[in-house]
Every structure is written in C-alpha cells, then in structure tokens.
Amino acid sequence: MARLAAVRDETPTARTLVLDVPDWPGHLAGQHVDVRLTAADGYSTQRSFSIASAPSGDGQVELTVQRVAGGEVSPYLADVFAVDDPVELRGPVGGWFVWRPEDPSPVVLVAGGSGIVPLMAMIRTRAGVGSRVPFRLVYSVRAPEDVIYADELRRRTRDDRGLDVAYVYSRQTPEGWPRPPGRIGLATLAEHGWPPDFAPACFVCGPTAFVETAADILVAQGHEPRRIKTERFGPTGPVASGG
Amino acid sequence: MTVSWSGSAPTEGPGAHASRADEHIDGNALAGSLREVFAVDVTVASGRCVGCGRVDTVAGLVLYTQAPGLVARCPGCDGVVLRLVRGPDRAWLDLRGVTALEIPLRP
C-alpha cells in the first residue's frame, strides 16, 4: 500500500506525485509501476506509470502524471488524489527499458511530451551515482510551457558534466527561437544525438506516433535496431500506457 | 521485488472508459502482469514469431490493452503472439504465436 506524501505541479497539466511506499525494494532507472484504482462499486482499472525519481533508499517514489482529457486514471491522480490518500501499487516492474549505470555506452534519450519521465529517472540516476557516461537528451514539446522539469533540466545542463539537452518545439517556440515550430526530424537527431559508430544506447519514450517516428529516424541514421529501446504510452495518454 | 497488489483501494473511483481501438503500446507494459505469473521478468525474454520468424523481445511486442485482457502482436507480421487474461482468482496465458522463449537467467 502506497500513500501520497506530497505533490509538485510541473506544468499546467502535469503533476509529480511523491509516494511513500513501505518496503520499497529500490528500482532501476526506466522501470514503471502499475497503479490500480477501484471504485466504490468494485469496478477496477489499472495503468502503468513510469517512475520519475532515482532510487533513493528512503522509501519514496515519484511518478509524474500528465492529465489526459477523457482519461479514467490520470485525471483522478492529477486532480482528486490528495495527500495521505492510499493507492495500490505493483512494482517496480520492467527490465527492458532500463538504463544501468554499469553500461559504459553513450546514451541518446529522445522524449516526446511526458515521455520525459522515465528518461528523467535515467538523468537523475546518472547524477546520483556520479556517472560520467555522456548523455544527450532531445526533448520534443508542443510549447515552452509544456516542458516538464524545466528548471531542473536547466540546472543539470549547467552542473551535470556530460549532459546535453536540446529542445524541439512542435507548435510554438520561445520568443527569438531560431527555427519555426516543427516535428522532430533527421537533422535534429543527427545534430543532437550520437553517430551510429559510437554505438549509443537509445531510449525513446512518448506517444505512439512520436516513438515510431523517432525510432524510424534512428534506424535510418544507421543505429542498430536492438540498441533502440522504446516505450510507447498510447496516442495521447499519460506515461507508459493509456489514459 | 514487490509484485503483488497490496492495500485497499481509494474510496473515490475513476470515471468512464475512454479508449481507441487502434491504440497500442509496447510489450514493456506486460511486465507487472507477467511478473504475477512467472518468477522472472519475462519482458526481457526473446521469442521467435510463429507467423513470420521474426525474433523480438517480449518488451518489443505491440501490445493492445483494450481487449478483455492483454494481446501482444508481432511488430513484423501483426500476428497474435501472446494473450493474457486475468480473472479474479486465476490467469489464462495463451502463447500461440511464439515457438520458444529464450529467458535470460543469472548464471
């Protein structure tokens, strides 16, 4: 049984939930938890949510939830779920979409919207263990106000050696941005990712269509398909799976 | 590893269903449900598709969650590889679309 300890608003539509989870066994960066909600009439539903935090050892786990209009779980978690409320969790689970600090390969992270969440866990874990593995994050958002963890990313770009962050704005750019808004393309990943001969580990997370586009670009660039790990969360859903 | 459900439910429940028939995600999301059945994380296992012979990890399968249960399809030929249905006190696992699973284990 987990309990909500605190909330942090990240953007107008995304909120971080800090959960107290007794006996949390620790987790790997990129793993998720399944969250189950049950209504008074017994109807029950579950969704997967990526873990946002690095393993901490203090029994706390952070999820960041993007509110999805018409979703049945994310609006509850983002708007109704209150401090001290209990929630059923299962996890941590998933051993595929994970970054392990002992892997020396350079890393390319490609995030679409709230797909940043498990990738942020990787960035935080890298800093937490003092890793010098070079990380490059390409983060696509609709508009500047949709950037989750904006302040932390700004700080880490300055302080975490070997971390580069590039932004792609698909609908609206910040003032004075040198390029018009547009979707992620070959040029962006060629400029801000790693060349295939560096054999980087590639992690792509976002809405299904975004993930497919980004993964296709990485394959076209010459990255080995088995080095490209993806996590889709549905057309517009929250992190990991559906609304 | 905490893999079973624990604790009681929140008192306030979710709203109406909202899903699209063409919605799909990755086999990654099977991890929790399969972990309930197996002693190891089966999403890191790889298997060969019966239909087209393509080898994928379970995490890389195309997963549909709107059916009554979970349906994982081959990204190559769209054939059904795995189906998992969870009842209140049992699960049904149909592995019709995979010839063998190669499961990494600790030496």
Side-chain angles (χ1 to χ4, degrees):
Chain A
M1 159 98 76
R3 210 166 270 282
L4 185 62
V7 297
R8 265 199 319 270
D9 287 324
E10 303 284 0
T11 72
T13 58
R15 167 173 279 188
T16 291
L17 310 175
V18 183
L19 299 169
D20 278 327
V21 192
D23 306 321
W24 181 253
H27 61 273
L28 300 168
Q31 283 193 299
H32 62 267
V33 292
D34 293 344
V35 174
R36 180 155 75 178
L37 300 179
T38 306
D41 64 3
Y43 170 74
S44 149
T45 187
Q46 76 179 63
R47 292 291 185 281
S48 300
F49 290 92
S50 291
I51 299 168
S53 49
S56 64
D58 61 1
Q60 287 203 327
V61 179
E62 295 183 11
L63 311 180
T64 301
V65 178
Q66 176 83 46
R67 194 182 293 110
V68 177
E72 62 174 349
V73 172
S74 64
Y76 172 82
L77 291 178
D79 299 327
V80 183
F81 192 42
V83 169
D84 276 340
D85 281 353
V87 68
E88 285 182 275
L89 282 193
R90 181 171 63 191
V93 290
W96 174 250
F97 192 84
V98 298
W99 177 71
R100 291 181 167 84
E102 57 271 25
D103 183 348
S105 312
V107 171
V108 180
L109 307 172
V110 185
S114 57
I116 185 67
V117 176
L119 309 183
M120 195 64 183
M122 297 177 189
I123 290 170
R124 288 168 167 168
T125 298
R126 173 185 182 274
V129 301
S131 165
R132 290 292 170 85
V133 166
F135 267 41
R136 287 188 159 177
L137 167 67
V138 179
Y139 185 5
S140 172
V141 288
R142 287 182 190 181
E145 66 265 24
D146 296 322
V147 176
I148 302 176
Y149 317 125
D151 291 343
E152 184 179 342
L153 283 170
R154 206 170 296 126
R155 176 175 61 75
R156 288 192 181 281
T157 310
R158 190 189 62 213
D159 299 342
D160 292 9
R161 281 184 57 186
L163 170 68
D164 295 321
V165 181
Y167 294 94
V168 176
Y169 299 95
S170 63
R171 297 215 183 140
Q172 186 202 325
T173 67
E175 238 173 271
W177 193 253
R179 279 179 296 278
R183 298 201 175 276
I184 195 161
L186 189 64
T188 309
L189 287 178
E191 185 182 351
H192 298 290
W194 298 110
D197 50 340
F198 285 26
C202 308
F203 295 93
V204 185
C205 185
T208 299
F210 174 87
V211 167
E212 284 169 8
T213 301
D216 286 348
I217 292 170
L218 290 168
V219 171
Q221 265 191 292
H223 293 279
E224 257 190 83
R226 63 173 188 87
R227 303 285 292 163
I228 305 167
K229 296 185 175 178
T230 61
E231 178 124 288
R232 298 163 169 82
F233 52 70
T236 54
V239 176
S241 74
Chain B
M1 166 86 84
T2 312
V3 290
S4 57
W5 293 109
S6 64
S8 61
T11 50
E12 212 160 335
H17 268 285
S19 65
R20 277 170 40 171
D22 59 348
E23 220 171 275
H24 68 267
I25 54 177
D26 297 86
N28 291 339
L30 280 166
S33 302
L34 288 172
R35 198 68 174 74
E36 232 183 351
V37 181
F38 293 102
V40 294
D41 177 18
V42 179
T43 60
V44 300
S46 52
R48 185 179 294 277
C49 172
V50 167
C52 69
R54 177 179 160 134
V55 175
D56 273 293
T57 56
V58 173
L61 297 175
V62 176
L63 184 68
Y64 293 83
T65 59
Q66 317 64 0
L70 302 166
V71 178
R73 291 177 176 273
C74 173
C77 71
D78 213 31
V80 173
V81 175
L82 174 159
R83 296 189 301 166
L84 178 62
V85 176
R86 178 72 159 87
D89 63 350
R90 66 198 62 209
W92 290 265
L93 177 62
D94 170 353
L95 286 165
R96 66 174 64 189
V98 63
T99 49
L101 280 176
E102 180 182 326
I103 302 161
L105 297 173
R106 282 187 194 161

